[in-house]
Amino acid sequence: MIPASFEYAVARDVADAIQLLGSSGGEGKVLAGGQSLIPLMKFRLAQPGLLVDINRVKGLSDIRENGELRIGALVREADLDMNAIVRERYPILVDTTRVIADPLVRNMATIGGNLAHADPANDHPATMLALRASVVARGPKGERVIPIDEFFVDTFTTVLAPDEILTEIRIPKRPAGGGGAYLKLERKVGDFAIAGVAAMVVMDEKGRIAAASIGVTNAGPTAIRARKAEDILRGQSPDDKTIAAAAAAAAGESKPWSDLRGPAEYKLDVIRVLTQRAIRKAVARATGGK
Amino acid sequence: MAVATAPTTSRGQRTHKIHVTVNGVPHDVEVEARTLLVHFLRENLNMTGTHIGCDTTNCGACTVLLNGRAVKSCTVFAVQADQATVATVEGLEKDGKLHPIQEGFHQEHGLQCGFCTAGMMMTAVAFLATNPKPTELQIREAISGNLCRCTGYVNIVKSIDHAARVMRETAEGKA
Ligand SMILES: Cc1cc2nc3c(=O)[nH]c(=O)nc-3n(C[C@H](O)[C@H](O)[C@H](O)COP(=O)(O)OP(=O)(O)OC[C@H]3O[C@@H](n4cnc5c(N)ncnc54)[C@H](O)[C@@H]3O)c2cc1C
Ligand code: FES
Ligand code: FES
């Protein structure tokens, strides 16, 4: 399959990319890892007039932890997986990246592309919701920082303007007593999720859940936050009854649809079970299990 | 199929001169922006060792190394390989001597129809460069983006393990 003809330009830097996109009259698209965009173009579901290749832009591939964890938009999944800070302190990100596609796709696919693509089946959105991340975007009018809760609008739609570039993802530094986990059920290795659940908890000294956040993959037109489940967990000790109630709430807030990956009823139960397991794993990590 | 004839802008162009080094040989070729790397290899360079299986980024038959990383060449544009190095199955054999990964597939009967083999071997070569002493599970994970419809994978895993052993022995012999 051959994509429709298009113009191609290599952006030298972010300003150049913004300018190129602006000059394309809305016809331009950013090319990052290409692992979602190129398949869409081959099926001619996407026919951009101009591709702005940002792969050669410097400074978008760093991972740093100062006041917060900052991940450049061009960081490839394979590099996220191998990063020492991430491996040591953010195992939820390792959980997530390792279940995305397969090692070949992960050698190209970028974390920025995974969010900008806004596919509810993508795995990073739920994890970023749980991590209370924000997304940095740069456009002709300058830079803005967008809380992840406000980033996803609809399937394949974010608040990014056509000439805005996602440059960085910012994640609050893991607090003392904090831990998180992402769990996904897939039909076969490399497939998109039947469902996936990301859970983050912060435990207080008394062993209660001081704060919790939960994100769900493939539970509606965008990844969702299970706020009712979060409310149930807050202030409680993580006993079986509390976790079961939170998991039931998370399923109640989810709106999966029936498709080849299973009927909606089945997926709701998958979400319920994965939520329980993700909370338990997050609590275990928060209380010393790394 | 309609051919788009819109004029090119000053910045973005529909055709590009690229400089790509494939298996050590430099090539300067003009390609359409939409030419996929796998088509460039097979059709412009007549190197048909790299296969197209699914054409939908699922099977890994088209795997080549782009600057040393294993990627699906049906999901990379040739223009993205400008100034880059590409390694394909044709470059594995050196001076009439098979690469240890080829020896491994031969010795352990790692192929039946052979359609997946080029991709499998390229994935394995990149993998063994980063992990010279893999466990069986790590090998299985490494090839999880490469589908084989014939072998059931058992002999492929053995082939890669065989190559890893040979490459370690050679490295130790040299040290
Ligand atoms: C076989 C297969 C299986 C997959 N399985 C999974 C899976 O299980 N889970 C999962 O999460 N994903 C999966 N993916 C998708 C993969 O992770 C994609 O790579 C990802 O969705 C997009 O990242 P990319 O860097 O490839 O972006 P691209 O394909 O380059 O771009 C995707 C979209 O985002 C836009 N974009 C990209 N970067 C930016 C930026 N910095 N600023 C503004 N806009 C930008 C592009 O313009 C485009 O619209 C799979 C893909 C394949 C081919
Ligand atoms: S042909 Fe490229 S992944 Fe199947
Ligand atoms: S040997 Fe036939 S597909 Fe692998």
Side-chain angles (χ1 to χ4, degrees):
Chain A
M1 293 174 294
I2 298 165
S5 181
F6 58 87
E7 293 167 21
Y8 169 89
V10 174
R12 288 184 307 267
D13 50 35
V14 174
D16 192 30
I18 294 165
Q19 216 248 310
L20 283 163
L21 288 170
S23 72
S24 72
E27 285 285 297
K29 270 218 167 277
V30 171
L31 176 68
Q35 303 299 290
S36 287
L37 185 54
I38 297 176
L40 283 177
M41 290 172 67
K42 289 169 75 175
F43 282 117
R44 305 215 176 185
L45 294 170
Q47 303 200 5
L50 170 72
L51 274 198
V52 177
D53 185 347
I54 61 168
N55 284 282
R56 289 166 207 252
V57 173
K58 299 230 160 41
L60 295 182
S61 303
D62 300 326
I63 300 178
R64 285 165 298 153
E65 191 191 37
N66 313 60
E68 56 198 347
L69 180 67
R70 295 186 171 197
I71 305 175
L74 266 187
V75 168
R76 319 261 166 201
E77 303 293 350
D79 297 321
L80 185 67
D81 182 13
M82 295 308 290
N83 181 266
I85 303 166
V86 169
R87 287 216 156 179
E88 177 61 27
R89 300 189 24 81
Y90 300 88
I92 183 174
L93 288 174
V94 178
D95 293 348
T96 310
T97 191
R98 303 221 81 198
V99 293
I100 289 175
D102 59 61
L104 306 169
V105 170
R106 293 202 293 271
N107 274 340
M108 290 297 291
T110 69
I111 187 167
N114 198 286
L115 296 176
H117 191 53
D119 186 337
N122 276 1
D123 294 296
H124 280 300
T127 292
M128 293 303 158
L129 286 167
L131 283 168
R132 324 292 316 116
S134 35
V135 161
V136 182
R138 224 183 293 163
K141 291 193 219 95
E143 188 171 284
R144 58 179 180 140
V145 180
I146 308 158
I148 196 73
D149 282 332
E150 295 164 21
F151 185 66
F152 302 108
V153 176
D154 203 343
T155 303
F156 304 133
T157 310
T158 69
V159 297
L160 289 179
D163 55 356
E164 267 185 317
I165 310 279
L166 196 168
T167 56
E168 189 173 76
I169 294 116
R170 294 183 183 167
I171 294 167
K173 198 168 176 167
R174 182 173 171 183
Y182 181 69
L183 292 178
K184 163 180 173 176
L185 186 69
E186 50 191 10
R187 291 178 307 170
K188 61 175 180 67
V189 170
D191 195 14
F192 287 98
I194 296 167
V197 177
M200 266 300 294
V201 298
V202 184
M203 307 299 290
D204 66 18
E205 301 91 72
K206 297 203 179 88
R208 284 180 313 223
I209 300 169
S213 47
I214 290 173
V216 189
T217 301
N218 255 345
T222 70
I224 65 152
R225 246 183 98 185
R227 290 173 193 270
K228 286 183 188 137
E230 296 172 5
D231 291 341
I232 290 171
L233 293 172
R234 204 171 301 115
Q236 303 297 315
S237 63
D239 52 54
D240 287 353
K241 218 176 116 206
T242 306
I243 291 175
E253 293 171 85
S254 300
K255 291 188 183 64
W257 49 90
S258 301
D259 61 13
L260 288 174
R261 293 189 177 84
E265 297 80 2
Y266 163 69
K267 293 182 180 181
L268 286 172
D269 217 38
V270 171
I271 291 168
R272 185 182 62 78
V273 172
L274 288 182
T275 305
Q276 289 193 11
R277 292 181 188 168
I279 295 168
R280 287 215 177 86
K281 199 162 176 186
V283 169
R285 282 176 172 164
T287 50
K290 243 191 156 187
Chain B
M1 192 178 69
V3 177
T5 51
T8 56
T9 68
S10 55
R11 305 297 299 275
Q13 294 185 335
R14 286 172 198 279
T15 58
H16 293 258
K17 274 220 167 64
I18 58 169
H19 176 80
V20 194
T21 304
V22 182
N23 301 331
V25 180
H27 296 273
D28 289 278
V29 184
E30 187 161 297
V31 293
E32 263 194 278
R34 61 175 171 167
T35 304
L36 294 157
L37 181 57
V38 71
H39 291 140
F40 169 73
L41 293 169
R42 291 177 57 88
E43 285 155 31
N44 292 62
L45 304 187
N46 289 321
M47 294 171 68
T48 52
T50 304
H51 290 169
I52 302 174
C54 64
D55 209 5
T56 55
T57 327
N58 282 289
C59 75
C62 63
T63 304
V64 302
L65 308 193
L66 180 61
N67 288 332
R69 281 194 171 203
V71 302
K72 294 174 175 174
S73 63
C74 74
T75 315
V76 178
F77 291 116
V79 281
Q80 293 180 266
D82 184 28
Q83 308 297 328
T85 64
V86 174
T88 72
V89 67
E90 286 93 342
L92 289 179
E93 180 196 319
K94 292 258 153 59
D95 308 321
K97 199 174 170 324
L98 292 182
H99 187 284
I101 195 71
Q102 294 172 305
E103 283 291 353
F105 273 73
H106 183 208
Q107 290 299 325
E108 300 291 345
H109 200 71
L111 61 142
Q112 288 174 25
C113 81
F115 201 86
C116 69
T117 313
M120 283 287 180
M121 292 197 299
M122 297 318 290
T123 296
V125 165
F127 169 63
L128 293 179
T130 59
N131 188 346
K133 210 178 167 188
T135 63
E136 185 193 326
L137 184 67
Q138 287 169 335
I139 294 174
R140 286 183 177 273
E141 274 174 6
I143 59 167
S144 60
N146 296 81
L147 301 186
C148 176
R149 298 292 82 165
C150 302
T151 64
Y153 301 101
V154 171
N155 286 358
I156 293 177
V157 174
K158 283 187 194 161
S159 304
I160 296 171
D161 190 51
H162 180 107
R165 226 169 33 243
V166 170
M167 288 162 78
R168 282 201 305 275
E169 281 161 17
T170 313
E172 276 159 24
K174 276 191 191 140

